[in-house]
Amino acid sequence: MTHDETAPAPPRSTLVITAHAGDFVWRAGGAIALAASRGERVTIGCLTYGERGESAKAWRQGKTLEEIKGIRREEAEKAAATLGAEIVFFDAGDYPLLATPELTDQLVGAYRKTQPDVVLTHPLEDPYNGDHPAAARMALDARVLAQAIGYPAEGEIIGAPPVFFFEPHQPEMCGFKPEVLLDITEVWETKRRAMECLAAQQHLWDYYTDLAIRRGVQLKRNAGPNLGLPHTTYAEAYMRPYPQITGELA
Amino acid sequence: MTHDETAPAPPRSTLVITAHAGDFVWRAGGAIALAASRGERVTIGCLTYGERGESAKAWRQGKTLEEIKGIRREEAEKAAATLGAEIVFFDAGDYPLLATPELTDQLVGAYRKTQPDVVLTHPLEDPYNGDHPAAARMALDARVLAQAIGYPAEGEIIGAPPVFFFEPHQPEMCGFKPEVLLDITEVWETKRRAMECLAAQQHLWDYYTDLAIRRGVQLKRNAGPNLGLPHTTYAEAYMRPYPQITGELA
Amino acid sequence: MTHDETAPAPPRSTLVITAHAGDFVWRAGGAIALAASRGERVTIGCLTYGERGESAKAWRQGKTLEEIKGIRREEAEKAAATLGAEIVFFDAGDYPLLATPELTDQLVGAYRKTQPDVVLTHPLEDPYNGDHPAAARMALDARVLAQAIGYPAEGEIIGAPPVFFFEPHQPEMCGFKPEVLLDITEVWETKRRAMECLAAQQHLWDYYTDLAIRRGVQLKRNAGPNLGLPHTTYAEAYMRPYPQITGELA
Amino acid sequence: MTHDETAPAPPRSTLVITAHAGDFVWRAGGAIALAASRGERVTIGCLTYGERGESAKAWRQGKTLEEIKGIRREEAEKAAATLGAEIVFFDAGDYPLLATPELTDQLVGAYRKTQPDVVLTHPLEDPYNGDHPAAARMALDARVLAQAIGYPAEGEIIGAPPVFFFEPHQPEMCGFKPEVLLDITEVWETKRRAMECLAAQQHLWDYYTDLAIRRGVQLKRNAGPNLGLPHTTYAEAYMRPYPQITGELA
Amino acid sequence: MTHDETAPAPPRSTLVITAHAGDFVWRAGGAIALAASRGERVTIGCLTYGERGESAKAWRQGKTLEEIKGIRREEAEKAAATLGAEIVFFDAGDYPLLATPELTDQLVGAYRKTQPDVVLTHPLEDPYNGDHPAAARMALDARVLAQAIGYPAEGEIIGAPPVFFFEPHQPEMCGFKPEVLLDITEVWETKRRAMECLAAQQHLWDYYTDLAIRRGVQLKRNAGPNLGLPHTTYAEAYMRPYPQITGELA
Amino acid sequence: MTHDETAPAPPRSTLVITAHAGDFVWRAGGAIALAASRGERVTIGCLTYGERGESAKAWRQGKTLEEIKGIRREEAEKAAATLGAEIVFFDAGDYPLLATPELTDQLVGAYRKTQPDVVLTHPLEDPYNGDHPAAARMALDARVLAQAIGYPAEGEIIGAPPVFFFEPHQPEMCGFKPEVLLDITEVWETKRRAMECLAAQQHLWDYYTDLAIRRGVQLKRNAGPNLGLPHTTYAEAYMRPYPQITGELA
């Protein structure tokens, strides 16, 4: 945004901040694949591997902490590559993920480095998993700090990129109300392949396929019956904590 | 939407449903002027002239009910023409504007006739003026009824056009939270001229100019400091009761 | 407010609008007695006698509708006199009390006649008794209409008197949050005597005595321990739907 | 409840009040089948056939209003019989279903006749279909009126049966938060067969099967992993507008 | 839950987590006594003695910190014994009680040791006492952590026991809405005796007796007038942050 | 409050707790000037200078951290003197301002020293600036701790002074609803002069002048048209997190 205006504009940049290694696939895989398919840059920041809280099967198999982290990392890297995104791991420790000034500062660095045009993260409430709100809180705090010229971190300050909260596992229990329905039909196969990289959670493949279809039904219901949408439309739902800025109501 | 697909698409259509004759100018004049400036069709439906509740000065001057209606109608017609919109009056009687099945049915007709791509109306709460929520309630009910092939009214059924609530006079007391900030800078002079058609309410010209500037400051604050926005940006704020449908997060 | 400014100011006026004949005693008897004790004028408007919904005992005794209305009227008149207030009955029929334009219009007349400085009514939610919200809705609508010079009713227009919602029987189920705690200790005996005028509901005498003590405990807790308040402080709780206007924060 | 205490207690009674003929199947079929399977009595009151708002296919086929009502009635009767319930039609006219004192009075009669121990109806918000909140409002109002000995209707007064709101089509847009998850696994096949009675809406069979599985996943997540629940658990979600009364926390 | 299924099931277990030594008596004494009366096991975890924030009288008498802790501990032990429960003290320091990972970890241990079927704690808001929400937050966090096999603590993982928030001192100011009304009539005398163990707070004995009667009145109002409930019914109110799991609507 | 009752009462005391050096001017300058004009004592506690987050211009000019702190301090001292208040700086570091027990303890000391009759601070939500809620949270926590005789800090315990939240920059995005409108017309010129002490933020002078006029318009609308208020009335808006204690409804 503050770069030399005579240079060609860099591609649009999306920053995804998540608590655990798998979150970006289930909840925002479509948005990521869509942006990548348009030639944009997407960076995923995973604060933890989900090694304690979301790897029950591996623990039952007697794997060690380091082994589990390795498995989760490899799966996440494959899924990110499938979607067309870069991925960065902060290894901050999960269950509980603690919100600290140091980790928030690292996120300020990520904002200044990636100069995002769009930010995706968890919603601020989740009574089933405290790591998700902790990640979201730090993501939002760091976004504000990264805007301040007085905040001592490397890189240029950022603007005020829009933030989207992706859908939690039990939306109604997290105060989640779909405010944006994103049509991901054209990249659906890519999202499905990325989900299939997460071998240990096969039961979720169909669960999130069903969810995408249901959100697609709602998208069609909110768009009118005759827009030429395909019989099966896939969608993801998001919330906006900040107002949309636009030049046209639509 | 259901028209012959070989014919050239008609221009986009916006339907504005308001309680009183002046509401569309103060609250949505920028959105109307923007749409008109793009060659789109805008239809304003005024359910009443605001003859009892918003014409105190004329009553104090001893004017009759019919005289007041005439004055309000003439002013509104001038303002609509300035903005580039058509205007229709339902003359349903204000203070109180009563929500009736008959008036709702007339609005179904307006929806089917104008086939709107966008709908603008009041928010659903206003402790200072019950006519506003009554108009909004009927506007929303009629929009749903107009979608049903089984509802007996002339014209083709409509899709599910997005709805935007424009800003009330005391936003915080009406549960109004800006969810969309619309940049109206390029049509600002047009909106100002339209406001000046409402001669009896001169004290509001500056009030709504200040509001547009304040919403412009917020637009800039939510968009980042370096987007090349002009020093003075004018904006209008809206809410969305239904989710946004999109193919790209931005 | 708009009266001749050289005349002596009339005493302050309070208008209480309730659904049933007994409501004003249990819920606002302290406020009414306090105002009366200061020499102010208080007018109670009872939209119904509560003849169907709040007179179970009389129905079980085989009394007729007219007999029940008579009993309730007499009790209410005694209680009002005890508190020092006038009382007016609209006999609009309860269970259900229907909100109509005609009854709202009668209330506009009451506003213009009493020119209230303060308005007391029910809160807008009550899942146990639909008559209460119906009364409150009409009380609020009429207050707005009575302000408009264009509304055709006798009497001078009114200003914008503050409104207070008194406490419902099950406050937490009605969204009731105490926003104002009124110290009624000095008129407590009067309120108790007024309650005792309602002979058929003896079980409520102690219930509302306990409530007044509990609200008094909360008053003391919100006021600091050392204000010289008496050991037993009696209080009533209210909400404010409109902002307080003041010249001093306290 | 007030019947002769020496007589054998009648079976428990459930009253379901819905706007349209199909609602009870999709949204509460499991609860109905469960109650019936325990030998209880279930009565379904359909205020309309859904002839205008939920029969698009039939209208497109050129059927008349009476034909459509007949089809819907027949389908609903089959589905009710499959579930083991009685069904009553009020034929009040849909799209819009208008809330009237007369229809509310008919519902008072239904309450007094069926003496329900449990009441099921729609939630109070639905921005996609105004008939649903209208039905719920009347169902709640009538329940309160039916408790009053002073309300002039046939039959004995009722107690205060618990009310459950069943799940709307777009729960997050209706303020719907699952407060009760009902395990319907043992009657799942019955519910599925009842859904298949609604031939015109075949696309919803799978939609509501998926929903039941998803609510089942949530049921298991809220019950702990090792309760011996079957691999696939089916559930329905409900809200409670009134507090639960119990002798044991569980 | 994961124990050997051939062994006799252990009795049901309730875990109560509170900020201060007296909280469990006033707010949940009835639920505790009821569970104990059914032969179940109840464990009370007091995070602090309430030595600074809830012992004003002892401070005024010039007692030392250690003396005050001793008094509070002794009173709480007597009250717990009266109710039939075990009690554990964490001595974490009150006013303020700080939420720390270490204390949360101790609570994980308590969950795994007691394997609760039911959890009772404070609600998440209390503008009059920050220790209460701090305790609740840790209680909820620890419950989620204790479910994860990957979380390193002794003992078996737990299921997902239901949580109940007990009633705060000023319910309406804490967003407290009664969602469950528990009939404690049969153990009322036990609760009263437990309250009387807290000698320093004699003024609260009657306060909480009155509250129990008022909640009992509401219980009867929500249960219908003819259920054979005793003239004076005592009750406690609770909220549920997680959905109820059930096999029958009632 | 607990001082010798034979001594003359000290003047009323107001404590203002803010995150940054300029906040008290824009948001509460009128309330401060009003209290000072009545001979009351006002103490402003600035937790930070706003050196990082609200001094962009100085950073762009290449000033050092210490220089910036010095500039901000000097400006704030001038503004406080203009308003008639004392000012205290805690220099706790901004962007982010971290909520710590140590800083909260310092605030307890400030409460006990100033014995406030009124407290002003930020609201608890602000998605644009996390320092504001952090300051408010500590201000509220410290107020509760300072009331406890058992809390180890110097000075006498305080009562429970009312708290007012002043208006944030984007009120609708912070859940801010005006609950109190304070007429500041008589000290407007003083507030304007105080704003002009903040030389670096000249663009805010007109912004907050416009805001004061807009709140003044609302004050008049909520007070009735004929109260003899001046043509231009200036006002500030506040929220109350605790109930108002009063002896008269007005």
Side-chain angles (χ1 to χ4, degrees), chain C residues 51-53 55-56 59-60 95-96 98 127-130 170 173, chain D residues 101 140-141 143-145 147-152 157 241-243:
Chain C
E51 61 270 17
R52 295 194 182 279
S55 307
W59 286 100
R60 287 208 196 86
Y95 251 56
L98 300 176
Y128 296 96
N129 194 318
Q170 297 203 44
M173 301 303 296
Chain D
L140 294 184
D141 285 351
R143 172 181 167 278
V144 168
L145 297 175
Q147 297 173 38
I149 190 173
Y151 187 87
I157 61 166
Y242 292 98

Side-chain angles (χ1 to χ4, degrees), chain B:
Chain B
M1 302 213 169
T2 55
H3 47 77
D4 177 357
E5 300 207 355
T6 62
R12 285 177 91 242
S13 167
T14 294
L15 178 62
V16 186
I17 298 177
T18 67
H20 310 112
D23 292 331
F24 71 93
V25 185
W26 314 114
R27 308 185 195 296
I32 294 168
L34 268 181
S37 75
R38 290 189 304 257
E40 300 177 20
R41 182 181 172 202
V42 182
T43 311
I44 298 156
C46 291
L47 298 184
T48 81
Y49 296 107
E51 61 270 16
R52 294 194 183 281
E54 310 207 331
S55 307
K57 194 173 169 183
W59 286 101
R60 287 207 197 86
Q61 293 169 340
K63 297 243 181 351
T64 67
L65 182 62
E66 288 310 311
E67 283 171 335
I68 292 169
K69 284 183 176 183
I71 293 166
R72 298 277 299 186
R73 179 182 184 116
E74 195 176 345
E75 285 179 358
E77 284 172 337
K78 272 189 210 159
T82 302
L83 296 171
E86 299 164 63
I87 190 163
V88 180
F89 299 96
F90 290 78
D91 195 11
D94 77 332
Y95 252 58
L97 168 60
L98 299 175
T100 63
E102 294 71 27
L103 189 49
T104 303
D105 180 69
Q106 289 183 51
L107 287 176
V108 173
Y111 275 100
R112 293 212 173 155
K113 184 170 173 196
T114 60
Q115 292 286 325
D117 298 285
V118 173
V119 177
L120 309 183
T121 192
H122 301 269
L124 289 164
E125 278 181 66
D126 191 338
Y128 296 96
N129 193 319
D131 292 3
H132 295 157
R137 174 49 56 212
M138 287 188 280
L140 294 184
D141 285 351
R143 173 182 166 277
V144 168
L145 297 176
Q147 296 174 38
I149 190 172
Y151 186 88
E154 293 211 353
E156 285 182 86
I157 62 167
I158 65 167
V163 178
F164 296 87
F165 292 151
F166 40 68
E167 180 165 352
H169 198 67
Q170 296 204 46
E172 303 93 345
M173 300 305 295
C174 302
F176 186 87
K177 181 178 177 177
E179 295 179 338
V180 179
L181 291 167
L182 177 70
D183 188 337
I184 60 167
T185 309
E186 65 180 271
V187 295
W188 171 251
E189 291 307 322
T190 305
K191 175 166 181 177
R192 175 79 196 196
R193 282 204 315 278
M195 294 200 292
E196 292 173 3
C197 296
L198 307 185
Q201 292 164 291
Q202 193 165 346
H203 61 290
L204 291 179
W205 302 355
D206 285 352
Y207 189 88
Y208 278 96
T209 299
D210 286 344
L211 177 63
I213 293 171
R214 190 160 51 88
R215 292 302 181 201
V217 169
Q218 292 180 350
L219 184 150
K220 286 186 283 186
R221 184 145 186 192
N222 281 287
N226 297 302
L227 278 183
L229 291 165
H231 181 64
T232 298
T233 298
Y234 296 88
E236 283 174 349
Y238 293 88
M239 292 188 79
R240 281 182 184 276
Y242 292 98
Q244 178 189 6
I245 303 304
T246 186
E248 179 177 358
L249 298 181

Side-chain angles (χ1 to χ4, degrees), chain E residues 52 56 59-60 95-96 127-128 173, chain F residues 144-145 148-152 242-243:
Chain E
R52 294 195 182 281
W59 286 101
R60 285 207 197 88
Y95 251 57
Y128 295 96
M173 300 305 295
Chain F
V144 168
L145 298 175
I149 190 173
Y151 186 88
Y242 293 98

Side-chain angles (χ1 to χ4, degrees), chain F residues 4 17 22-23 25 32 52 57 60-61 68 91 103 118 124 126 128 139 150-151 159 174 195 204 237:
Chain F
D4 177 355
I17 298 178
D23 292 332
V25 186
I32 295 168
R52 295 195 182 281
K57 193 172 170 185
R60 287 207 195 86
Q61 292 169 341
I68 292 169
D91 195 11
L103 190 49
V118 174
L124 289 165
D126 191 338
Y128 297 95
Y151 186 88
C174 302
M195 294 200 292
L204 292 179

Side-chain angles (χ1 to χ4, degrees), chain F residues 16 18 20-34 36 42-44 46 70-89 187-201 205 236:
Chain F
V16 187
T18 67
H20 310 114
D23 292 332
F24 70 92
V25 186
W26 313 114
R27 309 184 195 297
I32 295 168
L34 267 182
V42 183
T43 311
I44 298 157
C46 290
I71 293 165
R72 299 275 299 186
R73 178 184 186 115
E74 197 175 342
E75 285 179 359
E77 285 173 336
K78 271 190 210 159
T82 301
L83 296 171
E86 299 164 62
I87 189 164
V88 180
F89 300 96
V187 295
W188 171 252
E189 289 308 321
T190 306
K191 176 167 181 176
R192 175 80 196 196
R193 283 203 317 278
M195 294 200 292
E196 290 172 2
C197 296
L198 307 185
Q201 293 165 288
W205 301 354
E236 285 174 348

Side-chain angles (χ1 to χ4, degrees), chain A residues 163-227:
Chain A
V163 178
F164 296 88
F165 292 152
F166 40 67
E167 180 165 351
H169 197 66
Q170 297 203 45
E172 302 94 346
M173 301 304 296
C174 301
F176 185 86
K177 181 179 177 176
E179 295 179 337
V180 180
L181 291 167
L182 178 69
D183 188 338
I184 61 167
T185 309
E186 67 179 90
V187 296
W188 171 252
E189 289 308 320
T190 305
K191 176 166 180 175
R192 175 79 196 197
R193 283 204 315 280
M195 293 200 293
E196 291 172 2
C197 295
L198 307 185
Q201 291 164 291
Q202 194 165 345
H203 61 292
L204 291 179
W205 302 354
D206 286 351
Y207 189 88
Y208 279 97
T209 299
D210 286 344
L211 177 63
I213 292 170
R214 190 160 49 89
R215 291 304 182 200
V217 169
Q218 292 180 348
L219 184 149
K220 284 186 285 187
R221 184 145 186 191
N222 282 286
N226 298 302
L227 279 183

